[in-house]
Amino acid sequence: MRRIATCLGVWFIVTAVVTIAAAAPSQTPPPAIPMADGEPKLAGVLPVVESAILRELTRDGLTDRVVLIEAATNGRLILARISFTYGLMGIQEPLVTLLRRATAIGRAALTSAPGLDQVHLSGFYQEQGPFDGNRRDVTFSAAYQRRDLPGPPNPARMWLHPSLAQVSPEAPASHAARRAEIARWGVRLETEPAFSGTVSETTAELERRLEGLRRGGLRIGVLYRGDPQRRDLALTFDDGPEPLYTTLLLDTLNQLGLKATFFLIGQRVEQFPYLARDIVAAGHELGNHSFHHRNLTRLEPVQVDEELLGTQLAIQQATGVTPRYFRPPGGRYNTSVLRVAASRRLITVFWTDNPGDYLLFRERVLEARLLGRVGNGGILLLHTGVDETIQILPEAVRILRGKGFSLGPVSALLRNGP
């Protein structure tokens, strides 16, 4: 159950009863592909806040290009995410117009709800048509904080694609090439890493994996498991940074006194560099999760190297940190992928325990799946952009600690390894 009352106070309780509750959407997530030219979709996570934002944006005439409004809380912070599209054709000052509109949306959202701490905006260049809220071709992002009011947002928490600096009404930026590179995520449960290769290669890798799981520790640049004799667990999060949920997750981990390893997608680091910096500032480790989240086994070695190197450079530029760890997207790998990672001096890290949180199980089910798969030296695979994961973490961590487990980043397993 969402801990809304504690965070929102009397204002939201009264507002919910008097004006919003009757019209609030259900808790069912919106369709996967809302339309950019229709009514903004509400995610239904915190319907009171989402409805308040929509009402304020409507009052200010700002909803025509807003696609998705989502609000969530970890019991302490309340954040919102707003996705919108924008056009550049026929506009005299397109970049200035974009920034003004984004600032107006961020300010209106913060004004709509006194308990709202931050608003994360994601802008996509698109005139019209279907829009997927999980698309990767973000060209503008910003995190507006309440302390920024009434002025503009902190420039350090805003990102613009470099091509926008060169845009003009006659020659708008083209994003077709970038859209063509977007990987389509496959929906499958990553029960275990998936190796592909010849019969002899597969047999050899199976033997290495079984030995790595049995004995634990680093095996020729690969970590399958920590020491099976120790009550240590590595906490890892894939696929970030994500607007809204990265901030809530970091705050939750801070309250629990936990450090973790975040395997980041290079393209998203470029799009949300301030969130990557937040992860480092909070004392967590960064790992490489490729640049586009592609199936690396389908690429040539030079392309795999481009994916890994591009992510290393993106993380270095945004944070000043050089990752030591790598996790292939979806756990799909082959001998070539391992060799390329080793050539970049990256330790490939897999997992032992995966509750499949990205499949959006109910909180009780997700908690049971997580706790039922944990063992000594385990590596927990969770995902940054899942609200239910944030909600179950405090209780799950309490139970794990009660069983004598120590949770930390991947480096702790290597320090305590056999």
Side-chain angles (χ1 to χ4, degrees):
M1 179 177 181
R2 312 292 180 198
R3 296 176 289 278
I4 300 176
T6 302
C7 304
L8 306 186
V10 176
W11 181 87
F12 278 131
I13 297 173
V14 174
T15 303
V17 173
V18 176
T19 63
I20 298 178
S26 69
Q27 293 292 331
T28 303
I33 306 180
M35 299 299 292
D37 54 356
E39 180 76 7
K41 306 299 179 182
L42 304 185
V45 182
L46 281 183
V48 171
V49 183
E50 293 165 2
S51 297
I53 293 173
L54 176 58
R55 189 173 63 251
E56 187 69 20
L57 294 180
T58 301
R59 187 183 70 84
D60 292 350
L62 296 171
T63 60
D64 60 322
R65 286 187 174 271
V66 172
V67 177
L68 178 68
I69 301 172
E70 181 176 9
T73 180
N74 64 346
R76 282 173 33 87
L77 295 178
I78 304 169
L79 274 67
R81 175 180 67 155
I82 301 175
S83 297
F84 69 99
T85 63
Y86 64 90
L88 303 173
M89 296 295 292
I91 300 175
Q92 290 301 314
E93 296 181 309
L95 185 55
V96 173
T97 301
L98 166 62
L99 296 178
R100 286 176 178 172
R101 186 170 187 81
T103 299
I105 291 174
R107 183 179 293 119
L110 288 170
T111 302
S112 71
L116 190 59
D117 296 292
Q118 294 183 33
V119 175
H120 292 198
L121 298 185
S122 298
F124 303 77
Y125 174 70
Q126 182 177 323
E127 291 296 333
Q128 60 183 0
F131 175 89
D132 180 352
N134 289 324
R135 270 174 40 182
R136 299 303 189 190
D137 54 334
V138 177
T139 50
F140 166 83
S141 71
Y144 292 75
Q145 300 170 298
R146 180 160 297 281
R147 63 173 175 264
D148 293 332
L149 295 177
N154 182 350
R157 302 189 69 76
M158 177 185 294
W159 175 82
L160 288 166
H161 192 279
S163 64
L164 294 181
Q166 310 298 325
V167 75
S168 68
E170 294 76 23
S174 172
H175 304 291
R178 283 190 296 280
R179 280 200 296 271
E181 295 178 345
I182 298 170
R184 295 298 182 187
W185 289 10
V187 180
R188 71 177 184 89
L189 184 58
E190 299 164 349
T191 53
E192 63 179 24
F195 181 84
S196 60
T198 65
V199 174
S200 60
E201 288 175 337
T202 302
T203 300
E205 174 56 24
L206 177 60
E207 292 176 353
R208 282 192 295 269
R209 187 191 303 175
L210 291 175
E211 182 70 3
L213 291 172
R214 184 179 69 83
R215 298 184 58 183
L218 199 59
R219 302 286 162 183
I220 317 178
V222 180
L223 182 65
Y224 301 97
R225 182 184 184 182
D227 188 347
Q229 304 302 316
R230 299 180 64 93
R231 303 288 277 180
D232 294 330
L233 297 173
L235 188 59
T236 70
F237 295 92
D238 283 9
D239 299 347
E242 293 279 352
L244 190 153
Y245 287 110
T246 294
T247 302
L248 290 178
L249 178 58
L250 290 177
D251 184 75
T252 300
L253 293 174
N254 179 59
Q255 293 304 307
L256 296 172
L258 285 174
K259 303 301 180 187
T261 302
F262 287 74
F263 288 92
L264 303 184
I265 297 172
Q267 187 178 36
R268 297 191 70 73
V269 172
E270 284 193 347
Q271 295 164 347
F272 305 98
Y274 44 87
L275 295 179
R277 288 193 288 270
D278 288 347
I279 296 172
V280 173
H284 302 286
E285 293 178 345
L286 299 185
N288 186 319
H289 200 42
S290 83
F291 196 84
H292 295 103
H293 203 271
R294 287 172 169 164
N295 182 348
L296 300 182
T297 66
R298 297 177 179 176
L299 304 181
E300 296 296 326
V302 66
Q303 295 174 303
V304 175
D305 188 58
E306 289 173 355
E307 287 282 323
L308 271 57
L309 177 58
T311 304
Q312 292 290 91
L313 294 176
I315 292 175
Q316 289 170 354
Q317 183 175 0
T319 69
V321 172
T322 302
R324 295 179 55 205
Y325 308 112
F326 160 68
R327 175 174 286 160
R332 299 180 179 95
Y333 70 111
N334 55 23
T335 301
S336 177
V337 170
L338 293 180
R339 286 174 178 168
V340 172
S343 72
R344 289 291 171 189
R345 299 183 179 179
L346 288 165
I347 296 172
T348 300
V349 179
F350 292 109
W351 62 85
T352 61
D353 308 290
N354 174 25
D357 59 346
Y358 62 97
L359 295 177
L360 304 180
F361 292 106
R362 296 283 185 178
E363 291 173 16
R364 289 183 180 273
V365 175
L366 179 57
E367 183 177 314
R369 289 175 63 89
L370 173 61
L371 296 175
R373 297 163 181 257
V374 172
N376 288 359
I379 302 173
L380 306 184
L381 169 60
L382 296 168
H383 293 79
T384 307
V386 181
D387 178 65
E388 288 78 8
T389 297
I390 296 172
Q391 302 302 329
I392 71 164
L393 267 180
E395 180 63 12
V397 168
R398 184 190 69 80
I399 293 173
L400 290 173
R401 284 172 168 167
K403 293 181 177 181
F405 284 106
S406 174
L407 290 91
V410 168
S411 61
L413 290 187
L414 295 176
R415 288 195 300 268
N416 300 330

